[in-house]
Amino acid sequence: MIELKNLSKAFGTLEVLQDVSLEVAKGDVVAILGPSGSGKTTLLRCMNFLETAEKGTLKFDDEVYELAHMKKKEMAAIRKKTAFVFQNYNLFLNKTALQNVMEGLVIGRKIPKKEAEKTAKQALDKVGLSDRYDYYPSQLSGGQQQRVAIARAIATDPEIIYFDEPTSALDPELTGEVLAVMQTLAEEGRTMLVVTHEMGFARNVSNRIIFMENGEITEQNNTRDFFENPKNERTRAFINKITN
């Protein structure tokens, strides 16, 4: 479904990503792990054109794109097939939960309001917010706000959802409700690429793990082998640190 080859990205003289390559198949739940500053978030942002890569190719649904020379029309076409869940929700503070989910459907997809409202309510129901349609972000907990963001993502029925540390801004007691929603999406066969520090989610929900350090992918494997039989010494040290 997605094949990324030799993606590189720098901010000035700082090389953040160096020749990163990966593949995501339909139905994969891929967890991206690694220490802070390893380039995980930048990788997602480049894949969804929130940052511009210096080089690399992206194959999406059999079409190949040069990342450094993307046209606006090409970016828009791919974004219609993807969704992005940010760390800090990125909700419109002056709109209700329902309006936040409807916004992209009505403005971005030109879907009639009545149809968009029905779709948005179904998405909010799925994430357990059927009683919060008319609540503004300020009236919602952090976990509820992130679930609104996830509802907004799934309302467009994307081929892949990118999650950028979706629980990092949450208190521990609110993290579980968001992870439960993500697990349900995984069980439904949603394709997901997830930057996370939640090892329980990575071990129990994802089917593949990518480990990054210093802007490079140093190991990628199926989940079981990654945790039980890591090939890289640095990966082994990381696993020991987070499990002890």
Side-chain angles (χ1 to χ4, degrees), residues 117-148:
E117 181 176 342
K118 180 181 178 182
T119 300
K121 285 182 176 179
Q122 290 173 340
L124 287 166
D125 293 350
K126 183 180 283 290
V127 300
L129 293 174
S130 58
D131 60 343
R132 294 292 189 271
Y133 295 161
D134 297 325
Y135 282 59
Y136 289 90
S138 62
Q139 298 172 303
L140 300 171
S141 70
Q144 289 170 334
Q145 289 183 65
Q146 191 61 292
R147 284 189 280 155
V148 173

Side-chain angles (χ1 to χ4, degrees), residues 95 98-120 152 155-156:
K95 295 184 183 295
L98 183 62
Q99 290 169 337
N100 264 282
V101 180
M102 287 178 60
E103 185 79 4
L105 300 173
V106 175
I107 304 301
R109 309 279 172 128
K110 309 301 181 185
I111 294 173
K113 280 192 175 182
K114 282 191 176 180
E115 182 182 342
E117 181 176 342
K118 180 181 178 182
T119 300
R152 179 177 59 190
T156 61

